[in-house]
Structure formats: structure tokens, C-alpha cells
């Protein structure tokens, strides 16, 4: 059974709406709830113009559904819901923080904006796959978490590869899989146990971006930045948290590229790694050795600054004029070709076995 309200609906502070199981309240205009909504039925937004829903932040709604052939839906304050489903929509904006136990969407869900961050999860495994072909946005200073919401959270997987993801704040989950990703601002971050992405683009020349992967595997990160003016990052950091940091054939357009593995862990390189930036390729002074696990080419016109040993018996090639500076470290046992660049050892030893 469905009850349809075609005008604006207000539930006053002393009002009560009871939604019994299997029943739906279909709202065509705006809905402001200052009172009590109880029961296990559904609130469905089905209008064909822009709508707003102002929830009572002290209420946990059983199920909210959006099925709009036209018009935007704005959730105008903090939302707590057991289930939130978008089957059709143009744009959904959560202006307040969200706590949603089961979030789901269809390819036709449109753009989804988490303007104040929050916590979401989905399906029986708590993993969340967003199916919209639109853009999912996390603004600056906000964090969207895929977890159980506990003080010490358990994180779950997050996937959005059907559309693009725009991040100026932080996305935190377990395994993260994204399609094309746009980064803006100076504090954008993606934090997961593993991270896989399509192309990652800057929106301005001042953008700074951090990818944190606790398993240390950055081999599945797409091209970061682009040669087009305005799409070069000021700084990109790969942070492996507690693990070795593995890189395989990445292309990074950034003025500064920094890699930080876990304490006493290695950086493992293979493939062609291209850093198109004026400050080159930097491994911080506190980090240990670099190991070549397969043939490696580092292409950069900027400096390559290392503070410990490079080990491994694989071929190392430096192209595009890159200059190695070894501050106390050694190149040991590598078949190294520096013809495209050069090498300086400040206190270190260079042993090249060809």
C-alpha cells in the first residue's frame, strides 16, 4: 500500500508518523520532519521537481528510497538510516553527515554529493559498490568512511568504477577500486588496504594528493596528472603505512613525487616509472633501501634523491636527463645504464656490475 502526499509535508515536533511493514509514504514535494517517524515502512521521494528532505537527526529511518525521473534531492541535515536506495535521480546531495547501514544505487542514480562526509556500508558483507554512472563527490575537509562506524573501525571494500569520483577530502575503506578520479585542493587523500584506480586528474596546478595503501601495492594506480597545462600536481605522495612499497610502471605528473614505505621496509621498483616534474623523485631521508624486483626504467628530468642502498640484480636505466644523488647510499650489483642521466654519490659507493 502506498500513501502519496503531493504537497509539502511537515511533521511537527509533537507529530508522529508510523510506517508499518510493507507500506510506503510517497512524497512529491519537500518533507520536513521535526517529530517522530517510526516503523519499518518506506519513505519514497518520487517528485519530478527539485525536492528537499530535512530529517530529524535523532531518528533512524528504516528505509528511504529515491525514484525521481527528474529533479534533484537535497538531504538538508544529518541523516541516520538503516537503508537508503537511489533507483533514479539527477543529483542527490547530503548536506549533513550520514550514517547509512545499507546504501545502494543504480546506474541511473546520477551525481551523489557527500558534502559533510559520513559512514556508509552495504550488502551482507558490508562492502559498498556504487553503480551510478554519475560523479561521487567528497568535498574538502570531509571524510567518507566505509566501515562499521565503531570507535576503532573495521573497514569494508568500496568500489565506484561505473562513473567518476571527485575527491577534495578523504575516502577511507578497505580495498578501494575507482574509475577516473579527480583531485582538488591540498588535503585530498585515498586511504585503503589496497587501492586500484583509473586515471587520476588534478583540477589546478596547486593540488596536492596522497594515496595511502597499507599493503603497499601501488601497481594498479592509473596515470596521475597529465601533460595538459593545469593538470600537473604540486605534490604526490605514495604512503605504504606499515608495508614495503611496490611500484610498477606508473606515470606521474607532479612537481614533487615522494614515496614513504613503512618503518624499516623497502621500496620495490619495476617497469617504467615516469615522473614529469621539476623536483623529480624523492625517497625521504628516514627510509631504507630500494630493491629492483624486475628491470626498471626511471624517466625524469628532475633529480632522483636516495638515502640508502639500491639492491637487486635487475637492469636499472635512467632516462630523460635524471640525476641520481646518493646521500650515503650505495648502488650494489645492478646492471645500470646512466647514459640518459648521471649519478652523484655523496658519501656513498657506486658498484656497477654489467
Amino acid at each position: 500500500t502506498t500513501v502519496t502526499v503531493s504537497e509539502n509535508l511537515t511533521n511537527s515536533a509533537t507529530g508522529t508518523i508510523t510506517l508499518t511493514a510493507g507500506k510506503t509514504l510517497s512524497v512529491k514535494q519537500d518533507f520536513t520532519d521535526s517529530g517522530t517517524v517510526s516503523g519499518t515502512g518506506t519513505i519514497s521521494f518520487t517528485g519530478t521537481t527539485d525536492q528537499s528532505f530535512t530529517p530529524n537527526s535523532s531518528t533512524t529511518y528504516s528505509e528511504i528510497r529515491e525514484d525521481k525521473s527528474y529533479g534533484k534531492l537535497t538531504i538538508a541535515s544529518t541523516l541516520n538510516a538503516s537503508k537508503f536506495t537511489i533507483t533514479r535521480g539527477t543529483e542527490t546531495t547530503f548536506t549533513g553527515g550520514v550514517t547509512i547501514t545499507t546504501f545502494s544505487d543504480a546506474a541511473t542514480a546520477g551525481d551523489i554529493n557527500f558534502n559533510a562526509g559520513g559512514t556508509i556500508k552495504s550488502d551482507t558483507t558490508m562492502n559498498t559498490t556504487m553503480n551510478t554512472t554519475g560523479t561521487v563527490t567528497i568535498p574538502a575537509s570531509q571524510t567518507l568512511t566505509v566501515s562499521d562506524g565503531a570507535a576503532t573501525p573495521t573497514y569494508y571494500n568500496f568500489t565506484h568504477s561505473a562513473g567518476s569520483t571527485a575527491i577534495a577530502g578523504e575516502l577511507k575503506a578497505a580495498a578501494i577500486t575507482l574509475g577516473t578520479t579527480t583531485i582538488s585542493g591540498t588535503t585530498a587523500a585515498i586511504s585503503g588496504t589496497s587501492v586500484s584506480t583509473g586515471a587520476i586528474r588534478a583540477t589546478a596546478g596547486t593540488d596536492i594528493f596522497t594515496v595511502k595503501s597499507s599493503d603497499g601495492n601501488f601497481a594498479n594506480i592509473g596515470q596521475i596528472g597529465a601533460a595538459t597545462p593545469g593538470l600537473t600536481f604540486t605534490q604526490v605522495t605514495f604512503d605504504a603505512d606499515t608495508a614495503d612499497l611496490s611500484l610498477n610502471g606508473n606515470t606521474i605528473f607532479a612537481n614533487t613525487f615522494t614515496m614513504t614505505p613503512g618503518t624499516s621496509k623497502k621500496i620495490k621498483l619495476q617497469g617504467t616509472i615516469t615522473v614529469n616534474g621539476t623536483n623529480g623523485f624523492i625517497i625521504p631521508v628516514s627510509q631504507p633501501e630500494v630493491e629492483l624486483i624486475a628491470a626498471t626504467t626511471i624517466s625524469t628530468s628532475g633529480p632522483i634523491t636516495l638515502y640508502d642502498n639500491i639492491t637487486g640484480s635487475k637492469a636499472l636505466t635512467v632516462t630523460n636527463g635524471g640525476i641520481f644523488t646518493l646521500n650515503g647510499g650505495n648502488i650494489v650489483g645492478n646492471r645500470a645504464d646512466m647514459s640518459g642521466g648521471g649519478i652523484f654519490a655523496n658519501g656513498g659507493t657506486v658498484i656497477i656490475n654489467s
Side-chain angles (χ1 to χ4, degrees):
T1 300
T2 298
V3 174
T4 300
V5 179
S6 298
E7 303 297 330
N8 291 338
L9 174 63
T10 298
N11 186 29
S12 66
T14 57
T16 298
I17 297 174
T18 301
L19 300 171
T20 57
K23 309 299 183 182
T24 298
L25 174 64
S26 176
V27 181
K28 297 289 187 180
Q29 299 293 331
D30 298 341
F31 179 19
T32 300
D33 178 26
S34 302
T36 300
V37 174
S38 62
T40 58
T42 300
I43 300 171
S44 183
F45 291 89
T46 55
T48 56
T49 60
D50 291 350
Q51 292 181 263
S52 68
F53 173 38
T54 304
N56 187 333
S57 61
S58 63
T59 297
T60 297
Y61 297 89
S62 176
E63 180 175 2
I64 297 172
R65 182 175 294 272
E66 179 183 350
D67 188 3
K68 293 173 58 62
S69 60
Y70 188 81
K72 303 175 182 179
L73 176 63
T74 299
I75 311 300
S77 63
T78 300
L79 173 70
N80 300 293
S82 297
K83 187 175 183 179
F84 195 104
T85 302
I86 308 174
T87 55
R88 286 189 300 173
T90 303
E91 182 176 5
T92 304
T93 299
F94 298 95
T95 62
V98 301
T99 302
I100 300 172
T101 303
T102 302
F103 182 93
S104 61
D105 66 324
T108 53
D111 296 338
I112 302 172
N113 307 312
F114 293 94
N115 283 4
T119 299
I120 62 173
K121 50 192 174 182
S122 186
D123 74 38
T124 56
T125 63
M126 306 303 179
N127 300 322
T128 296
T129 296
M130 299 191 74
N131 299 297
T132 181
T133 57
T135 299
V136 175
T137 299
I138 305 169
S141 303
Q142 306 303 325
T143 300
L144 181 65
T145 301
V146 184
S147 76
D148 61 0
T152 303
T154 298
Y155 293 101
Y156 305 110
N157 300 340
F158 179 83
T159 299
H160 181 224
S161 54
S164 62
T165 306
I167 300 174
E170 183 174 12
L171 171 63
K172 298 183 72 173
I176 296 174
T177 303
L178 302 176
T180 299
T181 304
T182 302
I183 299 298
S184 59
T186 60
T187 59
I190 298 175
S191 303
T193 53
S194 64
V195 179
S196 174
T197 71
I200 297 175
R201 296 289 182 252
T203 57
T206 57
D207 295 332
I208 295 174
F209 176 46
T210 298
V211 186
K212 181 177 288 189
S213 172
S214 60
D215 75 355
N217 184 359
F218 295 89
N220 295 316
I221 303 275
Q223 179 174 298
I224 295 179
T228 305
L231 294 181
T232 296
F233 285 90
T234 295
Q235 179 174 319
V236 171
T237 300
F238 283 1
D239 184 349
D241 197 9
T242 60
D244 291 337
L245 190 157
S246 298
L247 211 57
N248 180 6
N250 294 75
T251 299
I252 298 147
F253 289 82
N255 291 333
T256 301
F257 172 53
T258 302
M259 297 185 294
T260 58
T263 303
S264 301
K265 299 294 183 179
K266 297 178 180 180
I267 290 175
K268 298 182 177 183
L269 304 180
Q270 62 179 310
T272 299
I273 300 162
T274 302
V275 180
N276 292 287
T278 56
N279 294 325
F281 189 101
I282 298 173
I283 299 173
V285 65
S286 61
Q287 304 305 329
E289 68 183 41
V290 172
E291 179 181 351
L292 305 179
I293 59 176
T296 301
T297 298
I298 298 177
S299 174
T300 181
S301 60
I304 304 164
T305 306
L306 309 178
Y307 291 88
D308 209 305
N309 299 338
I310 299 178
T311 63
S313 59
K314 308 300 181 181
L316 171 64
T317 302
V318 177
T319 63
N320 203 28
I323 303 296
F324 259 119
T325 298
L326 291 177
N327 292 321
N330 306 316
I331 291 184
V332 181
N334 302 310
R335 301 187 301 278
D337 176 6
M338 304 292 174
S339 60
I343 187 164
F344 292 93
N346 297 334
T349 302
V350 179
I351 302 173
I352 299 175
N353 297 324
S354 58

